[in-house]
Amino acid sequence: LRNKFPQFNSRHALFDPNGGIIEADTAVKTLDLLARKNGVKIKRKVKVVKIKKNSVILANGEEITTEKIIITAGSWSQKLTPINLYLNPTRQEVLYLKPKNLEDFNKKNFPTFGYLDSDLGLYGLPIHKINVVTIANHIPGATVDPDKVDKKINRSFVGKCRKFLSKYIPDL
């Protein structure tokens, strides 16, 4: 591990050379392009307020009837439809850290990673769009209403991250 990724201070690791990041904005742009090429009509800058079995209700009152509906509302999906989607939005804390040496933590030199023990679960992403490394909570947090979630980062989470980083990735 130290030979391939000297940023890590650990004797044991599992490395997956196929692991990586799906950049959401690129994926969405690609799906948008492919959908339009295949005849899908896309409405932009509209707010969906309800989804029925074969229709979508917009904030302006317009109802669009269709054979198929693809819901891509993330944490808000369950709020839009009476169908139980078995989704439970949870609070997930995320930290963004700017390393002193950006080159050491770009996606060519630093892998995505996960860490899990009895009281801490984290995942991390290398620098890939802006000059920060992402560290996030991998253990589901409390169930939340996505419109009312407290976005303030808990000091306890920050402390656990600092402890983890000082032990395993000290340059962060």
Side-chain angles (χ1 to χ4, degrees):
L1 180 65
R2 299 274 306 155
N3 289 338
K4 187 157 185 71
F5 301 111
Q7 305 89 326
F8 288 95
N9 185 21
S10 179
R11 293 187 327 204
H12 305 287
L14 173 63
F15 176 65
D16 180 355
N18 297 310
I21 300 168
I22 296 175
E23 294 180 351
D25 56 339
T26 303
V28 169
K29 287 175 185 172
T30 303
L31 288 171
D32 179 276
L33 177 68
L34 292 171
R36 285 186 288 116
K37 279 186 176 180
N38 285 285
V40 174
K41 293 177 187 170
I42 297 175
K43 284 197 168 258
R44 300 187 191 285
K45 298 184 181 185
V46 297
K47 181 177 182 180
V48 174
V49 294
K50 187 173 184 180
I51 298 172
K52 297 180 181 179
K53 184 176 181 182
N54 291 100
S55 67
V56 174
I57 312 297
L58 304 182
N60 66 6
E62 182 182 357
E63 182 169 359
I64 302 169
T65 304
T66 184
E67 289 181 36
K68 295 180 183 179
I69 299 170
I70 299 172
I71 303 171
T72 60
S75 296
W76 290 266
S77 296
Q78 189 63 67
K79 292 180 86 170
L80 293 172
T81 178
I83 300 165
N84 190 348
L85 301 174
Y86 300 98
L87 297 176
N88 236 0
T90 59
R91 183 170 188 266
Q92 300 305 117
E93 294 174 291
V94 180
L95 297 179
Y96 300 98
L97 308 169
K98 188 167 187 173
K100 290 177 184 168
N101 186 342
L102 300 176
E103 186 71 20
D104 285 349
F105 291 92
N106 68 27
K107 61 186 176 180
K108 292 180 182 175
N109 298 320
F110 187 71
T112 58
F113 71 88
Y115 173 84
L116 185 62
D117 71 15
S118 61
D119 71 331
L120 183 64
L122 298 173
Y123 66 89
L125 307 175
I127 293 169
H128 63 282
K129 285 280 183 182
I130 56 176
N131 289 331
V132 296
V133 173
T134 303
I135 307 291
N137 188 356
H138 192 56
I139 296 174
T143 299
V144 296
D145 177 331
D147 291 316
K148 299 175 183 169
V149 65
D150 178 8
K151 295 182 181 179
K152 186 177 178 186
I153 302 297
N154 185 306
R155 286 184 183 195
S156 171
F157 177 69
V158 173
K160 287 178 181 182
C161 288
R162 284 183 174 161
K163 185 177 177 182
F164 165 81
L165 293 168
S166 68
K167 183 175 181 179
Y168 296 110
I169 314 173
D171 288 344
L172 278 179

